[in-house]
């Protein structure tokens, strides 16, 4: 098993582990941000370049440093490798540059964006962005389009992470959308505005790190931090049926898959990602459709992660008594 | 006169046709190759010291020896004929006139590497060359140099000509492979490299047209004979496509090591600067490599004469040197505006970025807009600094080298010609009147 040292923390990892995965095992500050990599989607990663790190020692056998920063999500560790992330100022500078590139054409219309509060780009710019944009030209814009009656594509906010394309390829029956055009006018598109309509397409919303793909059934209903996320499950013949309900009072405003601290869908069973089907996501919007397990702790540093309501001692979760939940949730 | 290994028969009337090509020794080398062991052919290519002519200059023999050879898995040789680098037009010229030389090279290479199917991926805009090549391939099939049981040796070999998708990025070898497979031409993230997983996930070698053509004289005369031409690690001959303000622009086959000064000024080659103007700057290896001012292209920083070789052109690193690249030799006279020229290049990279990775997708457009602003007379000194910073944030942080190729021209122009940028900022109208070259179409006509 190769040993790798990242920002001074040494860890032994299984063969084939990437630097990013190793850093996640160590946890904390050592972990580079990743906007396009998604461990549950094959061939994801490598595009956004936010996870770049500096390899100061290649391996025990070949200790030469790597000449350029490498994408940690796509570089496997070698025994004796030494990596710098937060401890290398020049690397942080390079990453800030990547973040600036991601932002120059981004609308930053967070106040009217459904993703705000759980947006990875917001987090990223908070940590690595400049307070003022140096970009003075007109920003790129696209028309908003509806892809099917449940999903809204707001291409202007897309960072071309390719995750939704991989979901369509790997989770859905057929892929009816992809990337068209090239360079800075490349766009996610369904070609001839074909509706994306198959049982698992809704997962594209969950993997989208920004507000480019949003749930039309939740659109403008609430700021996400005003909702109470609850773990819930139901018997579903199509998917694992394990979800998070974003509730307001007795109302289920939105249903999503369960996401871990990296924003990725949790495994429903060992090695099986808990993707949920469109029926659970879009059709089951009543409390009676679900068995509520309890409040969901959201382990991320964005607004929604405040989990303020968890502290309220008198919030007791009585699964048999939905009415009580309703009252408490209103607090 | 320098020796000509590739172009010696290029002016023979009818050399495009199989019969004439054969009268001048065509396909004799393929016959010779069949008498050799496959690994011996690879060995000759190694000995020759041939370096990839597509731009990166990686030793071809070494690349061939890296090809994975798992049992029962097909292997492919792919010829990169996507030539789209601004300033580079040697492959087109060669294929147009000597299509059979490429076919013969492909057959020898494929035989040496144990391929049964190979591809030529030709730039989509070169339709007329496509037809010339396809006709030559048909001739070669009919004559038994391709197809089943080639020349009675029992070796079956198919050669396909694939028309490119119309993007510069499809010349990057992994984007080329994607495009060849019928997908969007996005560069792949490496590793795995094509030598392990290339076309249809099988081991693949991708080589430039000129590299493959050079294999013919190497196998014919032996690797040692080839290695005697040239200088140091720059062996053999190289095609240079010379353009710009020259008396005689065109494609020249040079022995590597010719002094740059001789190449520009001698009558054997470019014949000097048009209208006897002064030389201002040269982009020596296609638009992607750093531009050098006259004094640094003619002599290295140590005052030694600069030679047309991989090493000499790179002498001094990027601070005072450049690269041989693909051999696209762009010459600019004293009247040329470096800033306008740079804008043209940057506009090209902005247009050609595939858009996969953030620094190149966003940065190329940003640089173009800033250059446009400076040319339009609205630039500030801070914009020049910002340009410098943007290029540095792109370089080395992208999936494929197109990001570097977009950054280097900007970096070198500012490094060597900063004062010219500052002139545009300080006194825009005065400068613009003199510079008719690279007319900028969508600028305010009153200002140009
Ligand atoms: C953006 C880009 C465009 C390229 N275009 C070409 C091309 O048109 N022709 C070519 O031979 N090589 C091109 N290359 C280089 C190829 O990736 C590859 O290195 C080359 O085909 C290898 O052949 P060689 O070893 O014979 O030089 C390009 C590289 C990049 C990054
Ligand atoms: S995607 Fe994120 S950063 Fe962009 S507008 Fe929405 S919340 Fe803001
Ligand atoms: S729509 Fe979202 S998931 Fe799809 S590429 Fe854009 S940012 Fe990524
Ligand atoms: S560097 Fe540019 S062309 Fe190359 S993969 Fe990235 S975006 Fe595409």
């Amino acid at each position: 098993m190769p040993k790798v040292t990242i920002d001074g923390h040494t860890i032994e990892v299984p063969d084939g582990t990437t630097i990013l995965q190793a850093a996640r095992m160590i946890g904390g500050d050592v972990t580079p941000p990743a906007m396009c990599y998604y461990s549950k989607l094959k061939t994801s990663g490598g595009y956004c370049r936010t996870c770049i790190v500096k390899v100061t020692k290649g391996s025990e056998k070949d200790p030469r440093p790597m000449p350029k920063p490498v994408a940690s999500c796509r570089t496997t560790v070698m025994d004796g490798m030494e990596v710098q992330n937060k401890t290398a100022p020049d690397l942080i500078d390079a990453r800030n540059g990547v973040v600036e590139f991601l932002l120059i054409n981004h609308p930053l219309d967070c106040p009217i964006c459904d993703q705000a509060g759980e947006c990875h780009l917001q987090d990223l710019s908070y940590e690595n962005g400049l307070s003022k944009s140096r970009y003075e030209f007109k920003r790129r814009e696209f028309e908003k389009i509806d892809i099917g009656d449940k999903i809204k594509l707001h291409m202007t906010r897309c960072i071309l992470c390719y995750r939704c394309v991989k979901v369509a390829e790997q989770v859905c029956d057929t892929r009816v959308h992809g990337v068209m055009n090239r360079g800075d006018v490349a766009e996610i598109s369904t070609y001839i505005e074909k509706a994306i309509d198959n049982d698992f397409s809704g997962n594209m919303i969950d993997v989208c790190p920004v507000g480019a793909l949003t749930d039309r059934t939740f659109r403008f209903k609430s700021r996400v931090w005003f909702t109470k996320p609850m773990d819930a499950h139901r018997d579903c013949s199509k998917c694992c049926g394990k979800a998070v309900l974003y509730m307001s009072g007795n109302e289920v405003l939105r249903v999503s898959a369960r996401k871990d601290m990296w924003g990725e869908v949790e495994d429903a069973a060992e090695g099986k990602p808990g993707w949920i089907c469109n029926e659970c996501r879009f059709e089951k919007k009543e409390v009676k459709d679900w068995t509520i397990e309890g409040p969901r702790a959201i382990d991320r540093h964005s607004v929604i992660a405040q989990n303020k309501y968890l502290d309220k001692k008198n919030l007791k979760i009585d699964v048999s008594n939905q009415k009580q939940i309703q009252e408490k949730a209103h607090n | 006169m320098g020796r000509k290994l590739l172009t010696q028969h290029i002016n023979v009337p009818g050399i495009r046709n199989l019969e004439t090509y054969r009268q001048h020794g065509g396909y004799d080398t393929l016959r010779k190759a069949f008498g050799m062991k496959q690994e011996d052919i690879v060995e000759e290519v190694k000995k020759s010291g041939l370096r990839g002519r597509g731009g990166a200059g990686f030793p071809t023999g070494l690349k061939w020896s890296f090809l994975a050879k798992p049992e029962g898995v097909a292997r492919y040789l792919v010829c990169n004929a996507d030539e789209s680098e601004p300033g580079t037009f040697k492959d087109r010229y060669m294929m147009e006139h000597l299509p059979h030389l490429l076919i013969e090279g492909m057959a020898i290479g494929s035989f040496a590497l144990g391929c049964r199917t190979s591809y030529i991926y030709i730039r989509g805009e070169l339709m007329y060359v496509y037809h010339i090549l396809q006709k030559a391939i048909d001739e070669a099939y009919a004559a038994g140099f391709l197809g089943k049981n080639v020349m009675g040796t029992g070796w079956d070999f198919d050669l396909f000509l694939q028309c490119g998708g119309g993007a510069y990025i499809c010349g990057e070898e992994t984007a080329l492979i994607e495009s060849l497979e019928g997908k969007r031409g996005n560069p792949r993230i490496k590793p795995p490299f094509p030598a392990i997983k290339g076309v249809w996930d099988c081991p693949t070698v991708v080589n430039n047209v000129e590299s493959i053509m050079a294999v013919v004289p190497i196998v014919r005369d032996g690797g040692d004979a080839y290695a005697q031409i040239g200088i140091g690690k720059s062996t053999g001959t190289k095609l240079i496509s010379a353009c710009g303000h020259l008396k005689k622009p065109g494609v020249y086959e040079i022995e590597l090591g010719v002094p740059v000064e001789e190449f520009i000024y001698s009558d054997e080659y470019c014949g000097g600067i048009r209208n006897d103007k002064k030389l201002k700057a040269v982009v020596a290896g296609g638009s992607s490599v750093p531009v050098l001012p006259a004094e640094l292209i003619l002599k290295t920083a140590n005052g030694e004469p600069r030679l047309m070789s991989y090493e000499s052109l790179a002498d001094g690193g990027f601070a005072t040197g450049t690269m041989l690249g693909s051999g696209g030799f762009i010459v600019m006279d004293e009247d040329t505006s470096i800033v306008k020229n740079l804008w043209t290049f940057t506009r090209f990279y902005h247009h050609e970025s595939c858009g996969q990775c953030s620094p190149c997708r966003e940065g190329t457009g940003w640089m173009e807009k800033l250059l446009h602003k400076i040319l339009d007379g609205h630039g500030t000194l801070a914009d020049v600094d910002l340009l410098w910073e943007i290029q540095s944030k792109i370089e080395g942080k992208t999936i494929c080298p197109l990001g570097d190729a977009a950054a280097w021209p900007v970096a070198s122009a500012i490094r060597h010609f900063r004062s010219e940028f500052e002139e545009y900022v300080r006194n825009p109208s005065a400068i613009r009147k003199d510079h008719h070259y690279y007319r900028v179409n969508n600028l305010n006509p009153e200002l140009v």
Side-chain angles (χ1 to χ4, degrees), chain A residues 45-49 68 93-94 97 100-102 105 134-137 140 159-160 162 179 181-184, chain B residues 167 184 186 189 350-354 356-359 361-363 366 369 373 389 393 396-399:
Chain A
Y47 306 114
C48 73
R49 317 309 282 178
K68 299 191 273 188
D93 190 45
E100 184 171 23
F101 287 133
L102 281 175
N105 271 306
R134 296 192 287 179
Y135 188 72
E136 52 180 328
F137 304 100
R140 173 174 69 226
I159 58 157
L160 280 170
Y162 280 71
V179 178
N181 301 328
R182 110 182 142 214
D184 60 5
Chain B
R184 185 183 158 82
N186 277 0
I189 294 161
H350 173 208
H351 187 258
E352 297 299 331
S353 161
C354 83
Q356 268 191 123
C357 48
S358 337
R361 177 182 65 237
E362 307 293 348
W366 194 1
K369 291 189 180 88
K373 181 183 168 195
E389 188 161 333
K393 292 274 161 70
K397 288 153 202 94
T398 55
I399 295 175

Side-chain angles (χ1 to χ4, degrees), chain A residues 92-245:
Chain A
I92 294 300
D93 190 45
R95 180 175 298 143
N96 293 353
V98 174
V99 175
E100 184 171 23
F101 287 133
L102 281 175
L103 289 174
I104 58 169
N105 271 306
H106 194 84
L108 282 175
D109 52 355
C110 312
I112 52 155
C113 177
D114 271 340
Q115 192 83 1
E118 50 182 4
C119 174
H120 289 248
L121 188 59
Q122 279 187 322
D123 298 351
L124 189 69
S125 35
Y126 186 72
E127 302 227 316
N128 297 83
L130 295 170
S131 56
K132 194 168 162 288
S133 176
R134 296 192 287 179
Y135 188 72
E136 52 180 328
F137 304 100
K138 191 174 176 315
R139 286 167 195 242
R140 173 174 69 226
E141 274 174 31
F142 297 88
E143 295 279 319
K144 296 185 201 60
I145 52 171
D146 292 328
I147 38 180
D149 58 344
K150 301 292 195 288
I151 307 177
K152 186 83 162 179
L153 170 62
H154 197 321
M155 184 59 215
T156 309
R157 296 186 189 131
C158 170
I159 58 157
L160 280 170
C161 71
Y162 280 71
R163 282 182 184 176
C164 60
V165 181
K166 315 247 174 212
V167 164
E169 262 167 10
Q170 296 167 30
V171 184
C172 304
D173 312 335
T174 48
R175 174 162 77 86
V176 293
H177 85 295
V179 178
M180 295 214 311
N181 301 328
R182 110 182 142 214
D184 60 5
V185 292
E187 60 178 305
I188 296 290
S189 173
T190 52
Y191 204 66
I192 348 184
E193 296 213 6
K194 198 169 166 188
I196 292 184
D197 181 24
N198 60 61
D199 280 344
F200 284 82
S201 62
N203 290 293
M204 296 192 318
I205 299 168
D206 281 347
V207 301
C208 185
V210 293
L213 291 169
T214 49
D215 182 340
R216 288 186 68 199
T217 66
F218 177 60
R219 224 169 136 67
F220 303 140
K221 284 247 171 78
S222 169
R223 304 297 348 197
V224 69
W225 56 88
F226 294 137
T227 65
K228 317 281 184 219
M230 296 282 175
D231 276 340
H233 65 265
R234 62 182 286 271
D235 266 339
C236 178
S237 57
K238 292 183 194 146
C239 71
C240 64
K242 292 181 183 165
V244 179
L245 312 183

Side-chain angles (χ1 to χ4, degrees), chain B residues 259-279:
Chain B
V260 173
E261 188 158 4
E262 181 184 336
F263 183 70
I264 297 178
Y265 289 101
S266 80
D267 281 336
E268 188 183 345
Y269 301 111
C270 304
I273 309 295
R274 205 172 63 184
N275 302 328
D276 292 320
K277 294 265 183 185
K278 277 212 295 260
L279 175 67

